[in-house]
Amino acid sequence: MAFSTLYYTILNKPFFIDLRRIDAQAVLIDKFLSRDIADMSGVRLSDSKPLMKAGKYSDAPEGSVAVITLKGDMLKDGTMCSYGTEEIAAAIREAAASPKIIGIRLDIDSGGGAVDAIAPMLDAISFSQSQNKPVVACCDLCASAAYYVACHCNKIMADNDISAEFGSIGVMMQFPDYAKYYEQKGIKVHTIYSDLSTHKNAPFEAALKGEYKSIKEEMLNPLARKFQQAVKSHRPNLDDKVDGILNGRMFFAKDALKYGLIDAIGNRDAATEEVRKLVASASLEEYAANL
């Protein structure tokens, strides 16, 4: 049931996401969580509007650059409202496998999303690069999980110098406590653990009491460190001495370029041309190596 997956993700998964995205959608999330979802079983956007048409890449002209989008809040599984990153990753893989495609322009406009939405994208980007087909991220909003994805691309370009933003390198978790609500409804919830399961859900149980130390140390901090390490590894020119750059701060395009979060400011056509330049440069290097 697709919507039960979405329900579970909203309530339970850690997110690499810009807080503004949560605030903006709080009303929608509340309405979704409080409605009957039984009639939405198995409904996905891709069921009615496939991400890819049959033969899409095989019909492309020789030497084409594939354009694939990553927009909105990132979820691993598709819903009736959005494609999941598994579906987007499948499109990247299909493009990279096509002899007609020389590289990929990944258009990003996302404030981030669920942590488990990242891995499919990184695997697909790595596959494309293994086929000697570079991936250039062309971005407007590129925050948190979306930046985690972008930093693994060959290049990152802002598609404008007005609204484009980058960063929010950090991790957060937010979940509701319904105990008082249930009590008002006359419902008492009993949670009982085996004597042999002393550590099961301990960080969450502590968090429900307002004690956040364990959940930070065991879940959020390791994820944040891994995020920081990934950025530093893939962005060698990053000025990590800039206050907050690895701790959740956002930067508009000019400052993002200045501090090494991105490689250039341009537009989508410039990003497509950058893919072609990377392909040409790799060809020249291979030719020189064989001389």
Side-chain angles (χ1 to χ4, degrees):
M1 180 170 160
F3 263 61
S4 65
T5 302
L6 176 58
Y7 187 94
Y8 173 79
T9 299
I10 291 172
L11 289 180
N12 296 282
K13 295 292 184 71
F15 277 69
F16 287 146
I17 194 166
D18 184 23
L19 185 59
R20 292 171 296 179
R21 294 298 305 152
I22 294 178
D23 289 341
Q25 300 210 32
V27 174
L28 291 175
I29 291 172
D30 180 67
K31 288 183 177 180
F32 167 70
L33 294 178
S34 64
R35 68 177 296 177
D36 178 9
I37 60 172
D39 61 338
M40 297 181 181
S41 177
V43 178
R44 297 184 307 167
L45 177 62
S46 55
D47 292 334
S48 58
K49 188 178 179 183
L51 184 60
M52 298 177 290
K53 295 180 180 179
K56 177 179 178 181
Y57 299 120
S58 61
D59 294 339
E62 293 280 354
S64 293
V65 174
V67 177
I68 297 171
T69 61
L70 176 63
K71 295 191 176 184
D73 301 328
M74 292 168 55
L75 297 171
K76 181 179 179 180
D77 300 298
T79 71
M80 70 176 297
C81 304
S82 63
Y83 297 113
T85 55
E86 285 194 328
E87 296 168 290
I88 299 169
I92 293 174
R93 284 179 170 275
E94 183 173 334
S98 171
K100 302 291 186 68
I101 301 299
I102 61 170
I104 294 168
R105 191 186 87 202
L106 182 62
D107 289 349
I108 298 177
D109 189 1
S110 172
V115 173
D116 65 358
I118 298 170
M121 294 297 297
L122 301 192
D123 288 344
I125 290 168
S126 178
F127 174 74
S128 183
Q129 292 165 339
S130 74
Q131 303 301 302
N132 298 317
K133 297 181 180 182
V135 182
V136 171
C138 181
C139 313
D140 194 346
L141 175 62
C142 185
S144 211
Y147 189 79
Y148 203 128
V149 170
C151 77
H152 286 74
C153 296
N154 296 77
K155 297 283 185 179
I156 306 176
M157 180 179 289
D159 71 10
N160 68 84
D161 64 356
I162 300 172
S163 63
E165 287 186 89
F166 300 83
S168 193
I169 298 167
V171 59
M172 64 174 289
M173 175 178 282
Q174 187 179 76
F175 61 90
D177 181 352
Y178 289 105
K180 289 185 178 180
Y181 173 80
Y182 287 142
E183 287 176 7
Q184 290 172 356
K185 297 292 184 179
I187 301 170
K188 178 69 174 177
V189 178
H190 298 270
T191 304
I192 304 168
Y193 292 99
S194 162
D195 292 333
L196 306 180
S197 305
T198 55
H199 287 71
K200 187 174 179 64
N201 296 329
F204 291 93
E205 295 286 2
L208 286 170
K209 299 174 184 176
E211 301 167 7
Y212 305 131
K213 185 173 183 290
S214 293
I215 206 165
K216 287 180 179 180
E217 291 180 349
E218 295 184 27
M219 180 176 290
L220 303 185
N221 291 348
L223 286 170
R225 280 192 287 271
K226 192 172 184 65
F227 194 171
Q228 292 178 345
Q229 290 166 0
V231 173
K232 288 190 284 188
S233 173
H234 289 86
R235 302 298 306 173
N237 295 324
L238 182 78
D239 186 352
D240 60 6
K241 294 182 177 59
V242 174
D243 184 43
I245 199 167
L246 288 171
N247 308 101
R249 187 176 168 189
M250 290 288 290
F251 299 85
F252 283 110
K254 288 183 179 178
D255 283 337
L257 178 61
K258 178 181 178 182
Y259 301 136
L261 284 166
I262 65 175
D263 299 293
I265 301 172
N267 54 34
R268 293 179 179 180
D269 288 341
T272 300
E273 184 59 29
E274 184 62 32
V275 174
R276 298 188 182 281
K277 287 180 180 178
L278 288 170
V279 173
S281 176
S283 297
L284 285 173
E285 289 178 6
E286 181 179 2
Y287 176 77
N290 292 325
L291 287 177

